[in-house]
Amino acid sequence: MKDSSLTTETHETFVENLTVELMGIPSINGTDGEVEIIHHLEDRLKKLAYFQNKPDLVWTQKFENDYLNRKNLFALVKGQKEASQKTVILHAHCDTVTVEDFGALEEGAYNPSKLMKSLDQLDLPDEVKEDLHSGDWLFGRGSVDMKSGIAAHFWVLKYLSERVEEFAGNVLFMINPIEETTHGGVIEAVPELERIQEELHLHFVNAINTDFTGPLYQGDKSNYFYLGSVGKLLPAFLIRGKETHVGQPFEGLDPNHIASELFRNIQLNPNLSDYHAGELTPPPTALKMRDLKPTYNVQTPIESFLYFNYFVHGNSPDKVMDQLRSIAEASFEKVVYEANNAYRKYCKKNNMAYTPLPWKPNVTTFSELYAQELRRQGPELTERLQEILETYAGKEDPREVTRRMVQEVLNSSSSKDPVVVIFFCTPYVPRNYVKGKNDNEKKLLGILNDITSQDGNIKILNFFPFLSDSSYLALDDTKEEIEQLIANFPGMEKLYPVPVDKIRKLDIPAITMGVYGKDAHKFTERVYKPYSFEKLPILIRDVVVKVLGNEST
């Protein structure tokens, strides 16, 4: 395949210009900009010579019941060298986070040249100043996360569309919104991928994501390819204590005391990091911790609620549940011990007779609690949970909706003893990575290994360390493990309906060959031009062509 372009514009100039062009569209998650950028890219695709002759190969997929009427964008280029069903997906997300972090510089957040002039007037860290003055970096919101990734893929699609007679196979370009929050775009895309796979008789052999990559530690100069993506669970705890007047504190059990002990034992605990396939996840981090007391009074709280971000590489939902159950039992036991110890000392100081407090450690999962109460209460319990779901879904934070459902089962139970209930909330992000389980994956690994053998600066890791849309193209959790997740995730079918059966059927090896930059989600966000605009598009092109079974470019 020839390297000469059919246009006079170099590929690095094209990618940089398109990046700046796309950055000029403020496609903040949850705004009309997510719709505008899809329309802009659709119009740009339709202007390519290939799609002018085949306009039906550019299309959008509208989401049902979306308040912004957002869409996914698809474009398919079919190689003509010989008949082949093999298809590579080039995918990227088009939404960004907000620009509030830019402060007074917010007006220039989408204009790199203006922003870089303004940044030059600030007192910035030495590393940022050095990058700013080097000429090798482009600053601004979406520069690395991930308008440049879209631009790199767009160039590859354009390049191949101009040379369809030189390769066999197909290339599917897919752009998704709603990545920065719920991955809603790619989740919506799954049934569409299933549809076109069946109707067009495509065989998806690989997907390539260009989401941002960067240094993994201070001074890291390597570039990385990732063979998969980290998974994420959101385990939660609803804790019921025993209320009392603050003047009689030992007659109650404060759920915040248990919550604080859970926090202490889970937060940043490296023993809970998931080591799998030679790589380690970051430890759990609390994302919410509060009691459920609505107003001030001198009664101690009755219930507390907390949940954690929990990354996984190899751990299944049931394994995580077992880990947290053990921690919850130990935490509860320690709180009871501390309360008794404090009461014993108080009684001694006050010349009172000490009698051990009545509390006993009590930990259960939602599935256990629900099964117990369903036997006792019958189908009316399920009807009440469905009513809560219908009343609050779409109107309240989905984690709070799940909490309400757990609370309903707990508060209607026959026991009023203090208890910790463990369950899962939104989101569920599947874990996956390419292992070489079949000839297709082995071939892909061989191609990537060839690249790294020729370029020692590029390294291969198994798990993209940030959350990625690639998680929804394949999954490693078994059917039984998913069933355990669903059983402990009340309302999942409505609050976060991941089409796990369709994902498992698609089973697309999804890798990340990302643009390179620094400070994503910060006002100093920037993309490194020599790699992202010049080198990466060529690498992606070559991988696509070789994966499809063609000669090297």
Side-chain angles (χ1 to χ4, degrees):
M1 188 172 290
K2 301 174 182 178
D3 278 332
S4 60
S5 175
L6 298 185
T7 64
T8 58
E9 188 178 37
T10 63
H11 74 272
E12 55 264 42
T13 300
F14 177 91
V15 176
E16 179 171 357
N17 288 343
L18 182 54
T19 297
V20 174
E21 180 182 315
L22 296 176
M23 287 174 64
I25 303 173
S27 54
I28 295 173
N29 182 281
T31 71
D32 289 331
E34 289 188 275
V35 179
E36 182 183 349
I37 194 169
I38 290 290
H39 288 162
H40 182 86
L41 285 165
E42 182 183 10
D43 289 342
R44 242 188 171 279
L45 285 167
K46 289 180 176 178
K47 290 177 182 177
L48 297 180
Y50 179 82
F51 294 115
Q52 287 180 1
N53 295 323
K54 300 178 184 294
D56 58 315
L57 295 183
V58 176
W59 74 98
T60 58
Q61 173 204 12
K62 187 176 179 180
F63 304 163
E64 291 185 14
N65 305 317
D66 184 68
Y67 67 102
L68 290 172
N69 294 315
R70 286 170 288 195
K71 305 174 182 178
N72 287 319
L73 174 63
F74 298 88
L76 182 65
V77 170
K78 298 181 176 182
Q80 297 177 1
K81 185 177 180 180
E82 60 185 59
S84 175
Q85 297 175 333
K86 291 183 178 180
T87 305
V88 172
I89 301 173
L90 303 179
H91 73 107
H93 73 83
C94 60
D95 57 320
T96 72
V97 294
T98 65
V99 292
E100 295 171 354
D101 51 325
F102 283 81
L105 304 181
E106 182 175 323
E107 186 178 340
Y110 304 109
N111 186 325
S113 60
K114 182 176 181 178
L115 175 64
M116 292 168 75
K117 290 178 183 177
S118 299
L119 288 172
D120 202 23
Q121 307 304 312
L122 300 182
D123 183 16
L124 298 169
D126 290 343
E127 182 181 349
V128 179
K129 287 182 181 178
E130 182 180 340
D131 291 348
L132 183 63
H133 295 151
S134 70
D136 286 337
W137 296 81
L138 187 74
F139 285 67
R141 177 58 77 235
S143 57
V144 71
D145 188 17
M146 61 172 299
K147 303 297 178 65
S148 53
I150 298 174
H153 273 341
F154 196 108
W155 178 83
V156 175
L157 189 79
K158 175 179 179 294
Y159 180 95
L160 293 175
S161 75
E162 294 169 347
R163 296 162 176 81
V164 291
E165 71 283 352
E166 297 181 29
F167 74 95
N170 313 289
V171 181
L172 179 66
F173 180 74
M174 178 175 74
I175 304 298
N176 310 111
I178 328 180
E179 188 269 354
E180 295 291 357
T181 49
T182 65
H183 303 278
V186 72
I187 291 174
E188 290 277 354
V190 168
E192 180 68 4
L193 291 174
E194 183 183 51
R195 181 189 72 81
I196 62 174
Q197 181 184 53
E198 294 175 356
E199 292 184 6
L200 302 180
H201 308 292
L202 303 179
H203 174 211
F204 295 127
V205 293
N206 176 217
I208 302 176
N209 191 354
T210 43
D211 213 336
F212 77 92
T213 65
L216 297 183
Y217 52 86
Q218 191 67 32
D220 182 17
K221 302 295 184 182
S222 297
N223 297 117
Y224 295 95
F225 293 164
Y226 294 95
L227 301 179
S229 189
V230 67
K232 171 178 173 171
L233 298 169
L234 202 81
F237 301 83
L238 180 64
I239 306 162
R240 182 174 67 193
K242 176 61 178 176
E243 73 280 5
T244 187
H245 191 287
V246 292
Q248 300 167 307
F250 292 107
E251 293 187 11
L253 183 64
D254 192 336
N256 287 337
H257 194 172
I258 301 173
S260 64
E261 187 64 19
L262 282 169
F263 178 91
R264 191 185 70 81
N265 286 319
I266 297 173
Q267 177 75 0
L268 301 180
N269 183 349
N271 293 327
L272 298 177
S273 294
D274 185 5
Y275 185 80
H276 183 74
E279 296 172 24
L280 190 69
T281 66
T285 305
L287 294 175
K288 170 80 75 173
M289 181 176 178
R290 69 184 180 94
D291 65 53
L292 302 179
K293 185 175 175 179
T295 59
Y296 170 82
N297 57 40
V298 292
Q299 182 189 60
T300 58
I302 301 173
E303 294 172 322
S304 293
F305 176 47
L306 71 160
Y307 53 75
F308 293 84
N309 184 87
Y310 213 99
F311 287 129
V312 290
H313 283 165
N315 281 344
S316 59
D318 55 333
K319 174 72 177 296
V320 171
M321 184 67 78
D322 289 343
Q323 286 179 332
L324 295 179
R325 183 177 199 140
S326 295
I327 290 174
E329 289 170 348
S331 298
F332 205 140
E333 186 173 0
K334 184 174 181 182
V335 167
V336 172
Y337 171 81
E338 289 179 346
N340 268 301
N341 194 41
Y343 186 45
R344 185 185 299 108
K345 291 178 180 178
Y346 176 79
C347 290
K348 183 176 181 181
K349 286 189 173 206
N350 206 27
N351 295 316
M352 295 169 50
Y354 163 73
T355 302
L357 299 173
W359 320 123
K360 303 292 182 184
N362 186 11
V363 177
T364 187
T365 65
F366 174 78
S367 62
E368 292 169 346
L369 177 67
Y370 176 69
Q372 170 189 302
E373 289 306 311
L374 187 62
R375 288 191 297 269
R376 191 179 72 87
Q377 300 184 44
E380 288 186 5
L381 175 61
T382 303
E383 292 172 5
R384 295 201 307 274
L385 295 184
Q386 188 62 33
E387 184 178 343
I388 290 172
L389 198 56
E390 295 298 329
T391 300
Y392 294 101
K395 301 173 185 176
E396 190 174 77
D397 183 307
R399 285 146 289 271
E400 296 295 333
V401 180
T402 298
R403 187 265 304 165
R404 286 181 182 274
M405 297 176 74
V406 177
Q407 206 170 15
E408 173 63 29
V409 180
L410 180 61
N411 290 343
S412 64
S413 66
S414 57
S415 171
K416 301 302 176 186
D417 292 336
V419 64
V420 174
V421 184
I422 313 174
F423 54 101
F424 291 109
C425 291
T426 299
Y428 161 60
V429 182
R431 57 192 170 90
N432 63 62
Y433 71 105
V434 178
K435 309 170 193 63
K437 64 185 179 184
N438 52 42
D439 290 343
N440 177 46
E441 290 194 2
K442 290 175 183 176
K443 180 177 181 179
L444 174 60
L445 292 175
I447 292 169
L448 297 179
N449 285 326
D450 285 344
I451 293 174
T452 59
S453 67
Q454 297 170 24
D455 187 337
N457 195 57
I458 298 177
K459 298 179 180 178
I460 297 175
L461 293 176
N462 289 314
F463 300 101
F464 184 67
F466 314 106
L467 299 174
S468 166
D469 276 350
S470 297
S471 283
Y472 298 89
L473 298 179
L475 57 86
D476 286 350
D477 284 321
T478 66
K479 181 179 179 180
E480 292 73 24
E481 289 165 349
I482 295 294
E483 289 173 352
Q484 285 294 313
L485 170 72
I486 295 172
N488 283 294
F489 189 155
M492 180 178 176
E493 73 282 356
K494 188 173 184 67
L495 298 173
Y496 204 68
V498 179
V500 292
D501 291 337
K502 294 180 184 297
I503 294 173
R504 197 184 309 282
K505 182 180 177 182
L506 287 172
D507 193 28
I508 304 169
I511 66 172
T512 296
M513 299 174 64
V515 290
Y516 182 86
K518 299 176 183 176
D519 293 353
H521 296 199
K522 301 178 183 178
F523 78 94
T524 49
E525 176 183 346
R526 56 202 185 275
V527 63
Y528 185 57
K529 297 193 292 184
Y531 180 80
S532 305
F533 298 163
E534 183 176 352
K535 191 173 184 177
L536 180 65
I538 300 300
L539 291 172
I540 295 172
R541 179 199 67 185
D542 291 352
V543 170
V544 169
V545 171
K546 292 175 182 177
V547 164
L548 291 176
N550 298 276
E551 296 297 323
S552 61
T553 57

